[in-house]
Amino acid sequence: MTNNPDSTSAVWVRGLRRTYGQGASAYEAVRGVDLDVPVGSITALLGTNGAGKTSTLEVIEGLAPATAGEIRVLGLDPVADRAALRRRTGVLLQRSGFSGDLTVRETLRMWSATVTSPRSVDEMLALLSLEQRADVRMLALSGGETRRVDLACTLMGSPELVILDEPTTGLDPESRREVWRLVSGLRDGGATVLITTHYLEEAETLSDRLEIMHAGQIVRSGTPTAIAAGHPSKISFVSAAGVPEDLAGVRRVVHERDRTTLETDALQTSLSDLLAWAAHNRVELDGLDARSPSLETVFLSIADGRDPAVSAPQDIETPKEGALR
C-alpha cells in the first residue's frame, strides 16, 4: 500500500477520472481532478450543475472506485482500506436512512453501537441542541431537526476527517449559523473538514480553501479572497439620465429593465467619478449599491462560461500573511 505522498493533506487526489458506461455511450463525469484538503482545515468543494462533485465525493468516501487516478484519505486507499478509514472519518450524506419509528435518543443509541469509542448520547444531544426532542420519534421531526440528528451521528466518534455533504439543507438561518459555529469548532479542535454546499455565503464564511468544479474539472482553487481577486466590482443604480461614458475603471455596462450595473476594476475611483458626475448634473441615483467582487460573482461567471478558468483550469496561490484585506 502506498502512503499519502503529502502528509500535510488529509485528502490527496491526483488525476482522478470517473467514467460511467462503456463504448460510444460512455460519459466521463470526472476528468483528471487534482485535489488537496490540508490537515486541520475547512475546504469547500463547490460545483456548477453536473460538475462531477458527487462523483468525486463518492470516490473519496470509498463508495465507488475511480476509473483512473490516485486517491489517499488519511494516507489510506478509500476502497481497499475502507474498514480502517471508517473508524477515523465521519460522513454526512445528503439524506439519512434512519427509521422514523425510533426516537431521537434511540437513534443515537443505535448509532453509537456502530462507532469505535463513541461520545455519550447525552453529550451529542446537548451539542446539537436536541435535548428537548430526545424522546420524539424521528418521523415527527422537522427537516432541520432531522439534519441535526444526522450531524450528531456523524460526529459521535470524534472523527479526524469530517465530510459534510450539504450539512445545512433544510435549516433555518439561526440553525444554519449554529452549524457554522459547530463546524468551525471542529477545525479548532484539530479535525479536517471537507464540505459541499449550495450556499455560497456558507462556503465563503467557513472555508479556508475553496475548490470549484465545472464540467468534471477543478477550475478554481484558493482562498475565497484570492479566488475573487481579478473579478470586477459592481455599482448598480436606477437613473433616467443615462450613464457617463468616461468613468475610470469601468469595463462593462449592463442594463436590466430600469437598473444599470457598472462592472469596474477600480471600485473607489469609479464610484467617486459617478457621484461627482451625478452631483454636477443633479442626477438622482436611486437604490445605489456598490460592492467588491464576491464568491457569487466568480461562481456565476464560471456557470455562464464567462470566466477564463472554464477553458483553462488554474490554481490561485494563497496570499502571503497580511495580503488579505
Side-chain angles (χ1 to χ4, degrees):
M1 181 181 66
T2 302
N3 288 328
N4 185 347
D6 184 358
S7 61
T8 65
S9 295
V11 177
W12 182 90
V13 177
R14 290 296 181 273
L16 173 61
R17 293 183 178 273
R18 190 167 177 202
T19 303
Y20 296 88
Q22 296 179 341
S25 61
Y27 172 69
E28 191 172 38
V30 183
R31 303 186 291 122
V33 161
D34 293 343
L35 176 66
D36 289 283
V37 178
V39 170
S41 72
I42 299 175
T43 298
L45 180 63
L46 307 178
T48 56
N49 290 334
K53 181 181 64 178
T54 298
S55 295
T56 299
L57 273 186
E58 288 177 346
V59 173
I60 293 171
E61 293 165 358
L63 299 177
T67 303
E70 293 184 81
I71 304 94
R72 292 292 178 267
V73 178
L74 300 178
L76 303 175
D77 184 305
V79 175
D81 303 311
R82 191 177 179 195
L85 276 173
R86 189 179 181 280
R87 295 191 293 269
R88 301 171 62 189
T89 59
V91 178
L92 175 71
L93 302 177
Q94 289 189 22
R95 295 183 181 180
S96 64
F98 295 125
S99 170
D101 292 329
L102 296 179
T103 66
V104 171
R105 189 186 302 276
E106 289 169 341
T107 298
L108 294 182
R109 283 176 179 167
M110 178 189 69
W111 189 258
S112 70
T114 71
V115 176
T116 302
S117 302
R119 299 158 78 174
S120 73
V121 169
D122 287 341
E123 180 184 359
M124 301 314 296
L125 288 170
L127 184 65
L128 274 302
S129 303
L130 289 166
E131 301 101 318
Q132 302 304 313
R133 308 295 281 168
D135 298 315
V136 175
R137 289 187 177 187
M138 292 290 293
L139 57 80
L141 299 180
S142 68
E145 290 168 340
T146 300
R147 203 60 177 152
R148 296 211 301 273
V149 175
D150 295 341
L151 276 166
C153 292
T154 300
L155 302 179
M156 184 170 280
S158 300
E160 297 172 50
L161 172 65
V162 182
I163 300 176
L164 303 176
D165 196 0
E166 308 291 345
T168 60
T169 297
L171 299 185
D172 59 70
E174 182 180 357
S175 297
R176 182 174 296 132
R177 280 164 176 75
E178 182 60 37
V179 171
W180 291 3
R181 287 190 286 272
L182 178 61
V183 173
S184 295
L186 292 173
R187 174 190 54 199
D188 296 342
T192 303
V193 180
L194 174 59
I195 184 174
T196 71
T197 178
H198 286 301
Y199 300 111
L200 297 181
E201 179 192 8
E202 183 165 277
E204 202 163 18
T205 300
L206 283 177
S207 304
D208 302 303
R209 187 173 180 84
L210 299 172
E211 304 284 347
I212 303 179
M213 291 191 70
H214 178 78
Q217 296 179 298
I218 300 286
V219 296
R220 286 280 182 179
S221 298
T223 66
T225 301
I227 284 179
H231 283 258
S233 300
K234 292 186 177 182
I235 305 169
S236 64
F237 54 88
V238 176
S239 172
V243 182
E245 298 181 357
D246 56 350
L247 293 179
V250 173
R251 65 160 76 167
R252 185 166 175 249
V253 179
V254 179
H255 299 285
E256 293 180 335
R257 297 183 180 179
D258 60 345
R259 194 164 192 85
T260 297
T261 299
L262 310 179
E263 296 184 357
T264 174
D265 295 319
L267 178 58
Q268 183 173 341
T269 301
S270 297
L271 182 59
S272 295
D273 283 1
L274 177 64
L275 292 175
W277 170 83
H280 178 75
N281 293 279
R282 297 183 179 180
V283 172
E284 191 75 24
L285 301 175
D286 295 327
L288 179 64
D289 180 78
R291 59 186 64 194
S292 300
S294 65
L295 179 57
E296 181 180 13
T297 303
V298 179
F299 194 84
L300 291 177
S301 71
I302 291 173
D304 295 342
R306 293 184 287 108
D307 192 296
V310 170
S311 57
Q314 60 179 293
D315 182 82
I316 301 174
E317 294 298 328
T318 302
K320 296 180 180 179
E321 185 175 356
L324 302 182
R325 295 183 61 186

